[in-house]
Amino acid sequence: MAMAVPLLLGAKVVNVQVPFLFKYAVDYLNTFDPATLAKTGGFLATFSTSLLLGYGVARMSASLFNELRNAVFAKVAQGSIRTVARRTFLHLHNLDLTFHLNRQTGALSRAIDRGTRGINFVMSALVFNIVPTIFEVSLVSGILAYRCGAEFALVVLGCLGVYTVFTLRVTQWRTQFRSQMNKADNEAGAQAIDSLINYETVKYFNNEVYEADRYDKLLARYEQASLKTTTSLAFLNWGQNFIFSASLSAIMLLASKQIMEGTMTVGDLVMVNGLLFQLSVPLNFLGSVYRDLRQALVDMETLFSLHRLQTSIQERADAAPLLLKAGDSQSHVTFEDVSFQYIEGQRILDGLSFSIPAGKKVAIVGGSGSGKSTIVRLLFRFFDPQGGRVLVAGQDIRDFSLESLRKVVGVVPQECVLFHNSVYYNINYGRVQATEHEVHEAARMAEIHDAILRMPKGYDTPVGERGLKLSGGEKQRIAIARAIIKDPPILIYDEATSSLDSITEMNILSALRRVTKGRTSIFIAHRLSTVVDADEILVLEHGKVRERGTHYSLITDPHSLYAHLWHKQHSAHTKVMEQLDNGWIDPCILRVLPIKDRLGLTSPNNETFETVL
């Protein structure tokens, strides 16, 4: 700023000298007598040439100062934009899940983009347009009053006053059209991004034309507002030109009158014309600067309103770090009379209480809407319970810093969304400091290493937006590898193998038994066959623990909800066993299957069969 402001003032001072040099050149040439050229030894010609060269140098110098000012000030503007953009980005990540569940990605992206551009425009407008224009008008008015008379200064000030009032009034009237245009643009952008994100859903239901029609309706609204903006701009431009041309004619009439009276020269006429014309450049931008300045302030207000949003998940000022390592005996988890609801009056968890001992594997099962995934969100502090407490290592998780809490908890989510980057990047994201060997080892444990090597570019293969280039099973295995490489003492698997075939699922579950050994593990499952080896199974119903116990203790109780769910899921297998017992199917047919030990179903002769039957 300290460098840019002097360059700005220098550019304006030099710029004002240009009409004077032109005046002197015109006066010299107007009084030039060829007969005296020889007597002066060519001095007159040399002097006029110097004036004209000086005129060119002054114009070039003014331009140079302006460009240097732009180059120097760019660091100020871009540095501010970068700082605010980074703060905004970090703040959005720190907002709670409620905000992100309600957001519209397209509109949010445009709000951030416009807000940061608005910062640049406001700073540039103040430094390069408004303040310099006021300085230049004061300078020109003072010069004209001193050199030509007060009436010249009054014409300039009158021109400026009428021009400014007209421009601001018309621009204020036009702002409504601009707002309508921006609103339509936001809605069109949000709808387009939402539709493209859900590309596959659009295809599944043959709704391409429907989506295009919805988009076109928003574009039509944008078109109407844009036409009003353009036609009103034409009226504004013509009005500005009319006011300026009238003022220019008036000041030139005053100059010509004094020329005829002999008090001014032709050069003075040129000078007056040049000074007023130089004012036309910043004045021409007054309307657009005012309009864009108002819009930029609105955009900045939208951006800064995001900063004023406060997350409901607050970290205490005296929050202590949670220091746990894999296998730590303190890594036990407790839910103590926890109540939670997303919507007022619709409880998801209702006085839920349970404890998961350190190093044990506990499964949580139940019907849809029973609160299984909500448990994950509460443990990760995406939400805080409305009642009760969630404890880790015997302390309320609200006493710990968010960063340290989330560092010790690893999650494989039910919906595995990947970054639009390479396979390696997505696995390494679990712990960005991990070595290449650790990434490959995690991929092997997740049964995805060999599949990655068969990809066109191996670990450098791009996965596409949200991992759309990969199958559901591949995405889940990459998500599992990402959780493995994080190496947390507490692991949560939210239906982590739902998109896998039986063979891969059993291989991964076998690998997970090695990974989870000594760690506190929470398995949330719909397919009960994946949690039969859990140390304890919690069966949720209506936001409470209805039953708890091992697989065998629950399955042997004919009245348990778990047994009911188990038999519902395995009714087909039960029928097979009944047919075997009744001799309807020869067990020899099953013995030829090469795959053993998949589900644990046995015949009377203790032979194990594959579910593929």
Side-chain angles (χ1 to χ4, degrees), residues 43 99 148 262 537 598:
F43 173 75
F99 169 81
C148 306
I537 298 173
R598 293 302 177 212

Side-chain angles (χ1 to χ4, degrees), residues 127-138:
V127 176
F128 297 160
N129 293 100
I130 298 173
V131 174
T133 300
I134 294 172
F135 174 72
E136 191 168 7
V137 167
S138 303

Side-chain angles (χ1 to χ4, degrees), residues 176-420:
Q176 59 181 317
F177 306 134
R178 181 78 177 186
S179 298
Q180 292 170 8
M181 189 174 72
N182 285 343
K183 182 180 178 182
D185 186 35
N186 277 343
E187 291 176 352
Q191 195 273 329
I193 290 176
D194 188 46
S195 180
L196 291 173
I197 287 175
N198 294 285
Y199 167 84
E200 290 185 61
T201 305
V202 174
K203 289 292 184 184
Y204 289 150
F205 296 97
N206 300 331
N207 279 337
E208 296 90 343
V209 176
Y210 171 73
E211 291 294 323
D213 288 342
R214 286 181 62 208
Y215 185 54
D216 187 59
K217 287 179 182 177
L218 295 172
L219 290 179
R221 288 166 53 187
Y222 177 83
E223 180 185 14
Q224 291 172 2
S226 180
L227 287 173
K228 291 178 181 178
T229 302
T230 304
T231 52
S232 59
L233 178 61
F235 170 70
L236 174 64
N237 288 339
W238 180 84
Q240 289 175 330
N241 188 268
F242 174 82
I243 295 169
F244 187 80
S245 298
S247 302
L248 187 62
S249 299
I251 205 167
M252 291 182 70
L253 285 172
L254 286 173
S256 61
K257 180 175 178 291
Q258 293 202 18
I259 290 171
M260 288 186 286
E261 292 173 354
T263 56
M264 290 181 69
T265 65
V266 176
D268 289 319
L269 177 66
V270 173
M271 179 196 69
V272 169
N273 180 280
L275 285 172
L276 197 56
F277 252 116
Q278 284 186 177
L279 284 181
S280 70
V281 177
L283 286 177
N284 277 340
F285 290 106
L286 181 62
S288 59
V289 166
Y290 174 70
R291 180 201 67 217
D292 292 340
L293 186 60
R294 281 184 53 137
Q295 186 60 48
L297 290 172
V298 170
D299 292 338
M300 287 171 61
E301 173 61 23
T302 303
L303 175 66
F304 292 135
S305 67
L306 293 174
H307 285 260
R308 290 193 291 271
L309 291 175
Q310 295 296 320
T311 176
S312 60
I313 308 302
Q314 296 292 338
E315 184 177 291
R316 293 179 180 174
D318 58 346
L322 175 57
L323 303 176
L324 291 177
K325 293 183 179 179
D328 198 318
S329 61
Q330 294 298 313
S331 59
H332 51 274
V333 177
T334 303
F335 275 61
E336 191 177 273
D337 196 28
V338 172
S339 297
F340 181 79
Q341 56 188 3
Y342 294 104
I343 302 171
E344 186 69 29
Q346 185 178 340
R347 286 202 171 188
I348 303 297
L349 302 180
D350 187 12
L352 178 67
S353 296
F354 63 86
S355 183
I356 302 174
K360 298 297 183 180
K361 175 181 177 180
V362 173
I364 300 175
V365 301
S368 296
S370 58
K372 300 186 298 298
S373 295
T374 301
I375 290 172
V376 179
R377 291 175 170 180
L378 291 177
L379 181 57
F380 219 70
R381 273 206 82 190
F382 283 156
F383 297 99
D384 280 334
Q386 282 97 24
R389 298 189 302 165
V390 179
L391 310 176
V392 172
Q395 280 188 265
D396 194 322
I397 60 174
R398 287 172 286 200
D399 295 335
F400 300 119
S401 66
L402 286 170
E403 181 182 3
S404 65
L405 171 67
R406 291 168 181 171
K407 191 173 182 179
V408 303
V409 180
V411 178
V412 181
Q414 186 174 6
E415 184 181 353
C416 305
V417 178
L418 305 182
F419 289 98
H420 191 1

